[in-house]
Amino acid sequence: YYGLRTRMERFFEQAGEPVEERYLGWIAYFRPSTLATILTGDLQACADPMRVRAAIGDRFSRSRDLPLLHQLLYVNFLTYLPDDLHVKMDRMSMAHGLETRSPMLDTGLVEYVASLSPHLKIRGGRLKRVLRAAFKDDLPAAILKRRKHGFAVPLGRWFRTDLRAPFEDLVLSHDAPVRSYINQRAARSLFQEHLDGAREHSQRLWVLFNLGLWLQMIEKSATWASSVGEPETTVEAVGRR
């Protein structure tokens, strides 16, 4: 999870770019140039990186007078938090009949933390300094000093073992529905580089894998609908909806 090689590759890919480009490079699975070689046809035309750049650039513009850390936190607050973290929590909690709340997002608390200077949040590579100080008398040292860790899974290893055959079936096989939307040679090249250990492509492969799985589900749904006389369901129809 803390692989130094992967993090360094991602960091140095766009180290000389403006902050907006570096931010996009860090959060994106595909760089625009790579994405252009992967997608084909109408899907390639829809993947317009300028639209994403404009949206992110607008948010950075609103926070231009703030310290860099606060700019990044502001952009994350408007994008990553509601579009990713909140969605995951809501779906997983409701799937188990739970009504959840995020106490750390209490309005008063958020406004107070936003007003703190950057050096109170990060110093010497140490994150969440104020939060750790606030709970130092309530938490065990092992928890208090623990490194930040998201909900990552070992995708890199899985694509070399358990997910290797499913990926080849859903993305690289001659009858995979996804073949109409991606460049097979480029996808196969990414997969082979990952298998050989030349590059770490697990997140990119995961995106292609899920696209292939989704398209297969749509195709099966359309086949079933036709067999029972229901209106046909197609990828294009789903896109219009």
Side-chain angles (χ1 to χ4, degrees):
Y1 181 80
Y2 292 111
L4 180 61
R5 173 184 171 182
T6 301
R7 295 174 68 84
M8 288 184 67
E9 283 180 353
R10 292 181 63 199
F11 180 82
F12 285 111
E13 270 186 341
Q14 293 179 292
E17 300 291 337
V19 61
E20 293 92 337
E21 293 294 324
R22 297 203 307 272
Y23 178 83
L24 280 172
W26 187 256
I27 66 171
Y29 293 145
F30 287 97
R31 295 188 64 179
S33 57
T34 306
L35 192 62
T37 65
I38 290 288
L39 302 180
T40 60
D42 294 339
L43 198 59
Q44 185 182 56
C46 292
D48 181 9
M50 296 306 296
R51 179 176 57 83
V52 180
R53 284 194 179 99
I56 293 296
D58 176 64
R59 287 162 173 78
F60 271 106
S61 295
R62 298 184 210 169
S63 58
R64 189 67 65 195
D65 295 333
L66 299 176
L68 178 58
L69 175 62
H70 287 180
Q71 291 183 44
L72 296 172
L73 291 174
Y74 175 76
V75 174
N76 267 359
F77 189 80
L78 296 180
T79 56
Y80 181 51
L81 181 64
D83 297 335
D84 188 286
L85 298 179
H86 277 180
V87 174
K88 290 176 180 175
M89 187 183 77
D90 185 59
R91 288 178 179 173
M92 294 302 100
S93 60
M94 294 307 293
H96 295 277
L98 298 175
E99 191 71 45
T100 56
R101 295 292 183 271
S102 301
M104 293 297 177
L105 293 180
D106 173 82
T107 302
L109 180 59
V110 169
E111 291 175 346
Y112 166 70
V113 172
S115 70
L116 298 177
S117 62
H119 80 275
L120 292 175
K121 299 172 182 176
I122 299 179
R123 182 184 294 175
R126 191 67 168 166
L127 306 178
K128 303 182 179 180
R129 296 183 64 244
V130 174
L131 182 64
R132 294 176 193 273
F135 287 92
K136 66 179 181 180
D137 296 328
D138 301 306
L139 294 176
I143 299 297
L144 196 66
K145 297 179 181 179
R146 188 178 182 181
R147 296 180 67 179
K148 180 177 179 179
H149 197 299
F151 298 105
V153 293
L155 285 176
R157 175 166 54 83
W158 286 356
F159 277 118
R160 296 185 182 96
T161 54
D162 297 32
L163 288 182
R164 178 170 181 169
F167 183 88
E168 292 173 339
D169 180 56
L170 284 170
V171 179
L172 302 179
S173 64
H174 70 279
D175 57 347
V178 77
R179 288 181 67 94
S180 301
Y181 302 94
I182 66 171
N183 183 315
Q184 284 290 300
R185 179 176 296 180
R188 190 174 295 278
S189 177
L190 280 180
F191 191 49
Q192 194 60 52
E193 283 184 354
H194 184 82
L195 294 179
D196 294 342
R199 291 290 302 275
E200 169 58 50
H201 291 306
S202 58
Q203 296 290 352
R204 299 181 180 96
L205 298 177
W206 182 244
V207 172
L208 297 177
F209 180 76
N210 276 275
L211 177 61
L213 180 61
W214 181 73
L215 289 171
Q216 185 187 71
M217 292 169 60
I218 294 297
E219 185 178 76
K220 288 182 177 179
S221 176
T223 302
W224 177 85
S226 298
S227 67
V228 298
E230 293 289 335
E232 184 178 2
T233 302
T234 63
V235 174
E236 289 76 14
V238 172
R240 288 195 295 272
R241 293 173 193 168

